[in-house]
Every structure is written in C-alpha cells, then in structure tokens.
C-alpha cells in the first residue's frame, strides 16, 4: 500500500472540509474554559491538537474518523476511538465537563438514519443532509455535563442560515445554551483563508444574554434583541463601531463597507464552490438566486453630486490576495 504524504493528507482533508487547528487557536479555544476540567472530549479529534493544550492530569477522550490520524496521537491520559462520530458514537454513555471541537465544515450526513437517535430526536428539526454542522453541535450538547462547557470552532454559516438550521439555532437560543459567539478572521488556518467562528455552549447559564466578540469589540446582547433579529447570531449585527470623534466622509466610509462586502462575498462563493465540487452539485441555482436579488437593486448608487459611481471604485478587491 502506497504511503500518503503529509501534503496529500492535508489536501484530502481540505477537500472534505477538514482543517488543522493551529496551536495559537487551540490556546484561544481553551481560554474560554473558565475552570480546570476533570475530563475533556473532542468528538473529531484529528491528531489531538485541541486536547494537547490541557494539563497532563486531565483525562482526555477523542474520536476520529481516520485511524491513521488517531494513531499519531501521543498525549498523556488519552483514550481514543476510531469511527464516524455521528453514525457510531463510541462514548455514547458518557458526559464531559469540557468539550472542544473543530468539526469538519458542512459535510454530508444521513439524518433519516439517525432521526430516532437521542442526540438528535430532541431537536425541532434535523440538519439538512448536505450540512452536518448542527448535527455535530447537537452531538456535543448531548455529551455535555449539566455544569460543563463546550467550545466549538464552526463555519460561520451556522450563525445565519435559515430553514432547518434556523429552527435548530432558534431552539438553542430559546433553551439558553448559547453563551458566546466569537468571530475568527480569515487566514487563521494554514489550509484555508475563510473566516470561522467560535461558539461557546453552556447548560447552566444564569442569564439569557449572549456575549458577542470580534477582536477587542465585545457586547453583551439580551435575548430580546436576538429574537428581533430572527435568532441570527452573526457578531457584526450586534457589534457596532464606536462613533469616531473626527469627521468621516460618508461616501468614503460607504465605499469601504462595499469593498469589504465584496471581499466577504467572494470568500463565501469560493468556499461554496469548493463544497459544490466536493459534493458534485451545481452552483448555478445559487448564482441564479443571487442574480434575482440583484435585479431588485438595479438603480446605480450616486455620489453627493448626483453622478453615478464607477464600478472601477470596487474593482480592486478582485486582485487582493489577503
């Protein structure tokens, strides 16, 4: 059997929405655990990067789909198991003080096969077959002890996507499981430039507020405000920039906002393209839907003199490689 190179393994993982967690990000994830846990569990542990940052006396548990990855783990107090976490839960009778996870982004799963499983049957809806992100979140919630904490690195789509995922997200907020949402900027991973997010879960919250964080900006947001925003959890909705004391040209500010929007749109489309290629589906229906929305805004924006703004103002984002 031909041995896989590290480069090929990393490419294979990237094609399947799996990204290595850098040590700096692993430490950041651990920083949201505000007590010394007796046990820590990672349901998609890879080579154990998230578990390594905990003290050697902490009992560590992990499940990993790839046996070769699992075999590379050399961590004190570690108990590992190979297998598909969603299909074959190797720790199904256990609860954990602390759970840390970086599940694969938006992979396929079979909700019909697991609809009667206790991990998912409590939810008002099952995640769609094309995206298992919330299935991993439900799995993690199931394994949390009543006083435990879970810190999960996720694709930011879980914060705003609707339909089935919107119903599940609403259920999480209404049951007061969401403690904190943190924006993680792009280029944090070595393997991808996409932005991600951290979601902190707790079962023993004493308020219904949710804390939103983006760099140095932090805001505690009440439940009613989240409800008014249709239970969307995107940090930028709740984190408003402080008013600058100096006068700012609104046209310059608006241009920058639009450039940032185009950068984010391009990154989202690049990621969607990767997922579509991985799953063998077409982007055309999605592109057509975007075009229908754009047709509602065909009137071109004007500057203060009433003249139309040139598209050249926004073309620079296409050549950026940040």
């Amino acid at each position: 059997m031909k041995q896989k190179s590290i480069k090929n393994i990393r490419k294979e993982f990237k094609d399947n929405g799996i990204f290595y967690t850098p040590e700096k990000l692993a430490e950041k994830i651990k920083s949201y655990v505000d007590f010394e846990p007796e046990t820590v569990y990672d349901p998609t542990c890879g080579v154990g990067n998230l578990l390594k940052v905990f003290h050697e006396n902490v009992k560590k548990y992990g499940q990993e789909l790839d046996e070769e990855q699992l075999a590379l783990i050399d961590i004190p107090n570690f108990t590992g198991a190979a297998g598909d976490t969603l299909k074959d839960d190797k720790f199904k009778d256990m609860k954990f003080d602390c759970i840390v996870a970086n599940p694969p982004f938006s992979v396929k799963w079979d909700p019909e096969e697991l609809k009667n499983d206790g991990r998912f049957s409590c939810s008002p809806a099952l995640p769609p077959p094309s995206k298992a992100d919330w299935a991993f979140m439900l799995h993690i919630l199931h394994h949390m002890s009543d006083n435990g904490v879970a810190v999960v690195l996720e694709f930011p789509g879980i914060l705003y996507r609707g339909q089935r995922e919107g119903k599940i997200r609403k259920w999480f907020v209404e049951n007061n499981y969401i403690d904190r949402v943190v924006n993680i900027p792009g280029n944090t991973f070595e393997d991808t430039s996409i932005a991600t997010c951290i979601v902190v879960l707790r079962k023993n919250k004493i308020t219904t507020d949710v804390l939103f964080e983006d760099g140095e900006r932090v805001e505690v947001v009440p439940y009613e405000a989240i409800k008014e925003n249709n239970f969307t959890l995107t940090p930028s909705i709740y984190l408003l920039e402080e008013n600058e004391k100096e006068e700012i040209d609104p046209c310059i500010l608006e241009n920058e906002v639009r450039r940032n929007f185009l950068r984010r749109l391009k990154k989202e489309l690049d990621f969607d393209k990767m997922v579509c290629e991985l799953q063998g589906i077409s982007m055309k229906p999605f592109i057509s839907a975007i075009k229908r929305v754009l047709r509602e805004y065909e009137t071109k924006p004007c500057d203060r003199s009433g003249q139309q703004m040139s598209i050249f103002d926004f073309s620079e984002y296409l050549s950026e490689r940040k």
Side-chain angles (χ1 to χ4, degrees), residues 230-249:
N230 199 29
F231 296 95
T232 297
L233 296 174
T234 304
S236 60
I237 292 177
Y238 307 101
L239 293 169
L240 301 178
E241 294 280 4
E242 294 184 4
N243 293 329
E244 297 286 345
K245 293 182 180 180
E246 60 184 6
E247 184 177 350
I248 299 176
D249 188 323

Side-chain angles (χ1 to χ4, degrees), residues 10 20 43 45 63 74 78 91 93 118 131 153 164 168 173 183 186 191 197 200 212 215-216 227 241 247 255 287 293:
R10 292 172 76 89
Y20 282 92
C45 64
Q63 184 163 340
D74 183 17
F78 175 71
F91 301 97
D93 297 323
K131 297 178 178 68
L153 191 73
R164 296 189 192 185
I168 301 170
V173 175
N183 179 59
D191 314 76
C197 65
V200 181
F212 291 89
E216 295 183 356
K227 182 179 179 180
E241 294 280 4
E247 184 177 350
N255 276 355
I287 298 300
V293 173

